[in-house]
Amino acid sequence: ALEALVYEELERLGAANRYAAIMGRAESAGTLGVVLAMAVASPVLTVGGYPAVGAASAVACALTAAVAAAFPEHRTPRPDAESDGDGDGDAGWTATLRAGLAEARGSRPVRSAVILVALVWAVWGALEEFTPLLVQSTGVSDAGVPLFLLLIWAGVALGGLFAGRGARLTTPWFAVLLVVAAAVMAVGALTGHPAGIVGVAVAFGAFQLASVVADARLQHAITGPARATVTSLAGMSAAVTTMGVYASYAAVAAAAGHGGAFAVLALPYLAV
């Protein structure tokens, strides 16, 4: 819903070409929020226990809702929209669902963009969960792991900030970006040395950039009335693919270690 709302409002202003840059900055802001939350979680837990952490989480949700409510929205009923029993002349949810699925199935650019979003995001998004284990496998102490995770998150934040420039990449150069990022991640993970985590951080930054650009390409490809539905289909596809990556990681890491698992799971990007 967020992606659809932002894109349509930018499109209304004639600024749809700024979508990747704005969403990239938003992703970077979210990443910084995660880093700050990680930094303050321990002292808050020490002082106030779980009730304090729970209260802070509730306040964060309330603030998020307030920000969302302040977003501009100039939605108007479509004159050609079929009524679906909701009485307001706009398309009902079942009609919207059918329209979204039909566009994803019938439009080759949309279908390709949905697949691209799912595959680009799913692999590195799943591997991010295993970065603490990768860092630990290089000999870093438990106390030092968070510092290396901070390095990785910094790479992700920088990647989001460069998404606007990344949106200008042609398809061949976008492919080169994915291949280079996959290679850097594989080499960094296979070194077995803490310095290799720098390569992983650089690669994750590139993958973050690529994820935002893939989403922007999807938004540009959608022309029907069910933008949020098509975007949700891409998100669901990414979630399903992520579960496959989790299962694959368990099998590969058992045989080749964490570094080997990161390297093997970089290979799908060559196919993408």
Side-chain angles (χ1 to χ4, degrees), residues 19-20 112-121 163 166-167 174 178 207-221 234 272:
Y19 176 82
S112 298
V114 166
I115 294 172
L116 182 65
V117 168
L119 294 180
V120 169
W121 184 87
F174 185 74
L178 290 177
F207 288 139
Q208 172 72 302
L209 184 154
S211 298
V212 176
V213 171
D215 172 48
R217 292 189 172 206
L218 172 61
Q219 299 304 325
H220 290 315
V272 175

Side-chain angles (χ1 to χ4, degrees), residues 13-222:
L13 296 172
N17 61 320
R18 296 183 58 197
Y19 176 82
I22 290 174
M23 293 303 289
R25 293 170 190 169
E27 292 286 349
S28 294
T31 300
L32 293 176
V34 170
V35 171
L36 291 175
M38 292 169 64
V40 302
S42 181
V44 170
L45 185 63
T46 301
V47 173
Y50 285 107
V53 175
S57 300
V59 170
C61 290
L63 292 175
T64 301
V67 172
F71 272 35
E73 182 176 13
H74 296 82
R75 189 182 307 242
T76 56
R78 298 177 180 272
D80 58 341
E82 60 177 282
S83 178
D84 193 41
D86 53 9
D88 62 359
D90 204 355
W93 74 270
T94 55
T96 303
L97 178 60
R98 288 196 300 269
L101 294 176
E103 181 166 11
R105 183 176 62 251
S107 171
R108 182 175 179 180
V110 173
R111 185 171 64 250
S112 298
V114 166
I115 294 172
L116 182 65
V117 168
L119 294 180
V120 169
W121 184 87
V123 177
W124 83 270
L127 289 179
E128 186 276 323
E129 300 287 348
F130 298 102
T131 50
L133 298 177
L134 176 66
V135 172
Q136 200 173 40
S137 70
T138 64
V140 175
S141 65
D142 290 349
V145 169
L147 297 178
F148 284 88
L149 295 183
L150 184 61
L151 174 65
I152 292 174
W153 280 100
V156 173
L158 285 175
L161 290 178
F162 283 100
R165 296 185 180 182
R168 305 171 191 168
L169 293 174
T170 61
T171 297
W173 282 110
F174 185 74
V176 169
L177 173 69
L178 290 177
V179 170
V180 171
V184 171
M185 181 176 73
V187 171
L190 286 173
T191 60
H193 191 276
I197 303 302
V198 175
V200 176
V202 171
F204 271 35
F207 288 139
Q208 172 72 302
L209 184 154
S211 298
V212 176
V213 171
D215 172 48
R217 292 189 172 206
L218 172 61
Q219 299 304 325
H220 290 315
I222 298 170

